């Protein structure tokens, strides 16, 4: 039996439980979802969405219940890898609820963006410095870097923003191979990689410059639609937006109702 909200989750294929274990797993999921709903409601009521940070360690779950719990909360559209997979984050189908794996430790974090990502961002020490000399055949890159430098100076890099960020669309610039190579050399590659799915796919990577991100948008055939550099603490499409917490409450409530109804009529356990 799968949730009508998350019935596309392939994780249900891994849920093979006897009836008593299934019942206990469902009850443990009820506890989790009730806490998620309450925490999101409190943040909305207090208008403290940006301060919301609630963690539920997998150590609090019975190991045999985890597959059921993960299947119930489903999978969202955002995946994040830090330091070649040392830390992995996956959005669930419940807005603002993230599955975080840090080494061998797993937890669920309810936040617009789990703090571990911000900690890595704050460790980026690089600042944009434009070389005085440029290689031969580099023409457009220096002016792009100057534009980015001005934007970085004007942008608050301490707060997550949800309005559109400053962006330079490289696909619209007269760039040849030398220009692109020069840009890559100056900004470098950072430790944070982000994949987003949906109508199109996005691949976003931090650079060695704090507040500067490389972002690519691809269609379903893998063709590049957009190649850009974005100035922000984090590109605004990645974190959960504060207004989405209303959906968090709604989905948690509906899923709770589904589980409780199935428990009552004996479809679970």
């Amino acid at each position: 039996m799968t949730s009508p909200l998350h019935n596309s989750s392939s994780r249900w294929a891994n849920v093979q439980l006897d009836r008593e274990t299934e019942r206990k797993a469902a009850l443990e999921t009820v506890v989790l979802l009730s806490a998620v709903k309450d925490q999101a409601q409190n943040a909305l009521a207090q208008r403290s969405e940006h301060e919301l940070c609630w963690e539920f360690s997998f150590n609090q779950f019975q190991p045999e219940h985890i597959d059921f719990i993960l299947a119930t909360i489903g999978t969202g559209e955002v995946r994040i890898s830090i330091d070649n997979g040392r830390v992995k984050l996956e959005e669930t189908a419940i807005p603002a609820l993230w599955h975080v794996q840090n080494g061998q430790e797993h937890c669920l974090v309810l936040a617009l963006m789990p703090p571990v990502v911000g900690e890595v961002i704050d460790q980026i020490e690089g600042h944009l410095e434009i070389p005085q000399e440029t290689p031969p055949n580099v023409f457009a890159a220096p002016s792009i870097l100057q534009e980015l430098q001005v934007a970085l100076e004007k942008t608050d890099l301490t707060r997550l923003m949800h309005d559109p960020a400053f962006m330079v669309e490289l696909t619209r610039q007269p760039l040849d191979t030398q220009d692109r190579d020069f840009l890559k050399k100056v900004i470098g590659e950072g430790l944070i990689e982000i994949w987003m799915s949906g109508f199109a796919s996005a691949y976003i990577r931090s650079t060695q410059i704090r507040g500067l991100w490389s972002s690519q948008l691809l269609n379903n055939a893998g063709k590049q639609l957009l190649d850009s550099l974005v100035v922000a603490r984090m590109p605004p499409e990645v974190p959960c937006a504060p207004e989405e917490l209303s959906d968090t409450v709604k989905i948690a409530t509906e899923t709770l109702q589904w589980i409780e109804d199935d428990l009552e009529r004996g479809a679970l356990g």
Side-chain angles (χ1 to χ4, degrees):
M1 177 69 66
T2 61
S3 163
L5 295 174
H6 311 141
N7 57 14
S8 63
S9 175
S10 61
R11 285 177 168 149
W12 282 111
N14 299 323
V15 182
Q16 305 293 331
L17 304 176
D18 61 72
R19 291 186 64 82
E20 179 59 19
T21 303
E22 183 181 65
R23 185 185 70 83
K24 291 180 179 178
L27 292 172
E28 195 162 50
T29 306
V30 166
V31 173
L32 168 67
L33 292 175
S34 297
V36 168
K37 182 187 72 171
D38 291 344
Q39 292 289 332
Q41 281 181 325
N42 289 339
L44 287 168
Q46 298 171 12
R47 297 184 178 180
S48 58
E49 295 92 340
H50 283 275
E51 287 72 47
L52 174 63
C53 184
W54 174 83
E55 182 175 316
F56 209 96
S57 171
F58 275 30
N59 291 334
Q60 295 171 258
F61 302 136
Q62 292 298 316
E64 63 271 22
H65 299 166
I66 290 174
D67 286 342
F68 183 98
I69 293 168
L70 291 177
T72 302
I73 62 179
T75 303
E77 297 181 346
V78 182
R79 291 182 297 120
I80 302 175
S81 174
I82 299 174
D83 194 13
N84 292 317
R86 177 181 60 82
V87 180
K88 298 177 182 178
L89 302 92
E90 182 179 57
E91 181 188 37
T92 73
I94 300 176
L97 185 64
W98 302 79
H99 175 191
V100 180
Q101 179 182 357
N102 191 341
Q104 299 300 312
E105 300 295 323
H106 289 255
C107 65
L108 294 173
V109 176
L110 185 66
L112 301 185
M113 177 56 57
V116 65
V117 181
E119 292 168 3
V120 176
I121 290 173
D122 289 337
Q123 291 171 5
I124 300 174
E125 298 180 349
H127 299 280
L128 182 54
E129 298 181 1
I130 304 174
Q132 295 295 319
E133 298 183 2
T134 58
N137 300 319
V138 172
F139 301 105
S143 62
I144 292 173
L145 291 172
Q146 289 173 359
E147 193 175 0
L148 292 168
Q149 191 175 58
V150 171
L152 283 164
E153 292 172 354
K154 294 180 177 180
T155 302
D156 183 355
L157 302 179
T158 65
R159 296 170 54 238
L160 290 177
M161 304 298 289
H162 301 279
D163 295 327
F166 177 87
M167 177 176 65
V168 173
E169 296 187 29
L170 300 180
T171 43
R172 296 188 177 184
Q173 301 291 329
L175 297 175
D176 58 21
T177 302
Q178 289 86 351
D179 277 299
R180 290 184 177 275
D181 289 346
F182 181 71
L183 283 173
K184 289 179 180 179
K185 182 177 180 181
V186 172
I187 66 176
E189 288 187 342
L191 298 177
I192 303 173
E193 295 179 89
I194 303 169
W195 297 265
M196 301 182 67
S197 59
F199 293 110
S201 299
Y203 173 67
I204 301 170
R205 183 159 192 163
S206 62
T207 69
Q208 293 181 3
I209 311 300
R210 184 181 176 191
L212 185 59
W213 301 77
S214 172
S215 178
Q216 298 178 354
L217 187 67
L218 309 173
N219 66 16
N220 291 331
K223 180 180 178 181
Q224 187 179 88
L225 302 176
L226 178 69
D227 184 15
S228 63
L229 293 171
V230 179
V231 175
R233 177 170 177 81
M234 170 171 279
E237 64 270 25
V238 180
C240 177
E243 57 269 21
E244 290 184 77
L245 286 183
S246 296
D247 291 330
T248 303
V249 174
K250 179 176 181 291
I251 294 174
T253 300
E254 292 176 348
T255 308
L256 274 168
Q257 189 64 55
W258 159 72
I259 296 174
E260 290 169 348
D261 288 348
D262 273 9
L263 282 168
E264 184 176 350
R265 65 188 179 87
L268 288 172

